Amino acid sequence: MKSKLVLLVSHELSLSGGPLLLMELAFLLRGVGADVVWITNQKPLEDDEVVYSLEHKMLDRGVQVISAKGQKAVDTSLKADLIVLNTAVAGKWLDAVLKENVVKVLPKILWWIHEMRGHYFNADLVKHLPFVAGAMIDSHATAGYWKNRTQARLGIKMPKTYVVHLGNSKELMEVAEDSVAKRVLREHVRESLGVRNEDLLFGIINSVSRGKGQDLFLRAFHESLERIKEKKLQVPTMHAVVVGSDMSKQTKFETELRNFVREKKLENFVHFVNKTLTVAPYIAAIDVLVQNSQARGECFGRITIEAMAFKLPVLGTAAGGTMEIVVNGTTGLLHSAGKEGVIPLAKNIVKLATQVELRLRMGKNGYERVKEMFLEHHMSHRIASVLKEVLQHAKARALR
């Protein structure tokens, strides 16, 4: 990759998975000598602490940050050896900024897609998709969905598509494998939440939205408590933590969650934590991860492999990329998405609460699966192969 100029185009700079993945790619490219330029198509109107922090992380690592609009963006696009469009929404940038130059850059675009929601299948966003060098997608489930949906809804064909499963960063693995660090983080977070070391803590770590299923998780958690009480089962005190709130602007959905907790008198057992860049302390603090994304599920679900690195069992929806990560009955337990999944999830919560050995065995199996398939070097190797092929494609098209 030496001396190559790579342009990374992000729709936004935020704590969501897409921008953070692109930032990791930027650092990997810098690590092998590439010149990397980052542009963000949409920025908050007001000063934003998260955006400021992320931009400076990139600048510190030698990643240039320029405006998505204006002649400099156009000139950089034309000079770049490779352009990575991050997420389907980044397609807006092509016509808005490049205009008549779009055709010149399409042969050197790798489109990295992380979404499965229906509103992304919009011709205004993805009309250029068939003409780019390739698409990179995080799971086979998502790749299949994009292939079928673009053909059925828009009448267009996907370009050559590469499935690249994600991997855990070295930094996260270092924490996950350091028993002292884990214990310190666990104690600190639990103390802040009012959860004792011997208590059982189930966690859902995702941006708070209906699609991530926090409402159904809380219903299942309440149902599990009722079943334990009814059957007089002997289990440690159980807590749930929802990590990913936005305290500055509580949405209608989050208000619903808090009202439910209040109505069911669960205030002492359900805890809300604001969204954060640093998830490792909360993974260290919980005993079980709940991945409850709804509808078609997660495109991949990075938090799932991060939790497995910490030897946690995963209770996940049987949908999307989760099914390519979690081995049902071995590294966790799967339940159906939707309201019909509430009771099965509640039963699975009770099962792991009452069977300590099962919980520990699933956690250990999950860790082994991560070591085998989902580390940074696995992801880097997969991405490197894709980039090499796309660069060769771009070069061949340029010589025609």
Side-chain angles (χ1 to χ4, degrees):
M1 184 61 70
K2 261 199 177 326
S3 76
K4 297 291 185 185
L5 173 61
V6 182
L7 176 63
L8 306 180
V9 182
S10 175
H11 175 61
E12 62 178 351
L13 195 52
S14 70
L15 290 173
S16 59
L20 294 180
L21 282 171
L22 195 64
M23 184 165 67
E24 286 182 22
L25 176 59
F27 297 158
L28 287 172
L29 291 168
R30 285 293 300 143
V32 293
D35 294 318
V36 182
V37 178
W38 177 299
I39 65 177
T40 301
N41 200 29
Q42 178 178 294
K43 282 192 176 184
L45 295 175
E46 300 173 4
D47 289 342
D48 186 288
E49 192 175 315
V50 169
V51 171
Y52 179 84
S53 170
L54 293 176
E55 281 191 347
H56 278 266
K57 272 191 178 184
M58 288 188 287
L59 291 170
D60 289 344
R61 298 283 286 270
V63 178
Q64 299 175 58
V65 180
I66 67 171
S67 170
K69 298 174 183 177
Q71 194 58 42
K72 189 171 183 180
V74 176
D75 293 343
T76 306
S77 304
L78 294 173
K79 280 190 257 179
D81 297 289
L82 174 70
I83 298 172
V84 179
L85 285 185
N86 191 48
T87 77
V89 187
K92 283 182 177 179
W93 174 79
L94 293 172
D95 288 321
V97 177
L98 298 186
K99 300 183 171 94
E100 69 275 5
N101 291 299
V102 170
V103 175
K104 297 175 186 175
V105 303
L106 289 176
K108 55 185 180 181
I109 288 178
L110 174 64
W111 207 321
W112 200 1
I113 294 171
H114 315 282
E115 306 95 348
M116 278 206 288
R117 302 283 181 265
H119 60 273
Y120 292 105
F121 295 89
N122 182 316
D124 288 340
L125 297 180
V126 299
K127 65 184 178 184
H128 297 297
L129 190 53
F131 312 108
V132 302
M136 186 163 67
I137 299 182
D138 304 339
S139 67
H140 293 283
T142 310
Y145 185 69
W146 270 86
K147 180 182 177 181
N148 295 332
R149 193 69 185 266
T150 48
Q151 180 66 50
R153 183 165 176 171
L154 302 175
I156 64 175
K157 287 186 177 180
M158 290 289 290
K160 183 163 186 179
T161 300
Y162 308 87
V163 172
V164 173
H165 284 149
L166 307 179
N168 284 329
S169 69
K170 291 176 184 174
E171 291 79 7
L172 180 119
M173 292 304 297
E174 284 172 3
V175 177
E177 293 173 335
D178 185 333
S179 58
V180 175
K182 278 200 300 186
R183 187 177 70 250
V184 170
L185 291 173
R186 180 182 175 89
E187 290 173 356
H188 174 73
V189 170
R190 283 183 167 237
E191 185 180 354
S192 71
L193 297 176
V195 177
R196 297 172 304 175
N197 186 54
E198 63 268 25
D199 294 344
L200 260 181
L201 183 56
F202 292 78
I204 186 166
I205 305 175
N206 257 322
S207 55
V208 169
S209 69
R210 205 170 297 280
K212 301 299 184 182
Q214 286 92 351
D215 54 339
L216 301 179
F217 162 57
L218 291 181
R219 291 182 186 282
F221 180 71
H222 176 255
E223 175 66 25
S224 71
L225 295 178
E226 293 295 301
R227 286 171 177 258
I228 287 167
K229 183 179 176 183
E230 181 185 327
K231 296 180 180 180
K232 298 179 180 176
L233 300 174
Q234 296 300 308
V235 299
T237 301
M238 287 166 49
H239 292 256
V241 61
V242 177
V243 180
S245 296
D246 190 340
M247 303 300 189
S248 62
K249 50 173 185 180
Q250 277 192 31
T251 62
K252 180 184 174 185
F253 178 67
E254 186 159 336
T255 301
E256 285 177 21
L257 299 182
R258 291 170 186 266
N259 287 343
F260 176 81
V261 169
R262 200 159 38 247
E263 287 164 13
K264 301 300 181 182
K265 297 181 171 53
L266 294 173
E267 296 99 322
N268 293 330
F269 307 102
V270 175
H271 315 274
F272 292 89
V273 174
N274 207 15
K275 61 184 181 180
T276 175
L277 262 178
T278 310
V279 296
Y282 297 98
I283 302 175
I286 65 178
D287 299 294
V288 178
L289 178 81
V290 178
Q291 175 60 281
N292 204 41
S293 293
Q294 296 300 300
R296 287 167 292 278
E298 284 289 317
C299 179
F300 180 78
R302 185 74 168 279
I303 192 65
T304 307
I305 59 171
E306 291 175 333
M308 288 162 64
F310 278 73
K311 298 185 178 178
L312 298 182
V314 177
L315 299 179
T317 46
T322 301
M323 296 182 71
E324 294 169 34
I325 305 171
V326 177
V327 180
N328 192 32
T330 300
T331 67
L333 298 168
L334 298 176
H335 57 276
S336 55
K339 292 178 181 176
E340 58 270 28
V342 170
I343 297 302
L345 174 55
K347 289 179 178 178
N348 289 342
I349 290 172
V350 174
K351 189 171 188 175
L352 291 190
T354 54
Q355 298 184 39
V356 180
E357 288 301 319
L358 177 64
R359 200 166 68 237
L360 296 176
R361 185 168 69 250
M362 285 182 167
K364 184 175 182 296
N365 290 340
Y367 170 77
E368 295 299 333
R369 186 163 168 79
V370 164
K371 294 285 280 188
E372 183 184 344
M373 298 178 64
F374 301 121
L375 295 177
E376 186 179 274
H377 72 84
H378 296 129
M379 181 176 76
S380 300
H381 178 74
R382 291 188 283 258
I383 290 178
S385 298
V386 174
L387 295 181
K388 183 177 179 182
E389 192 168 321
V390 170
L391 281 164
Q392 287 173 344
H393 173 93
K395 188 175 180 181
R397 289 279 294 269
L399 294 173
R400 286 180 193 173

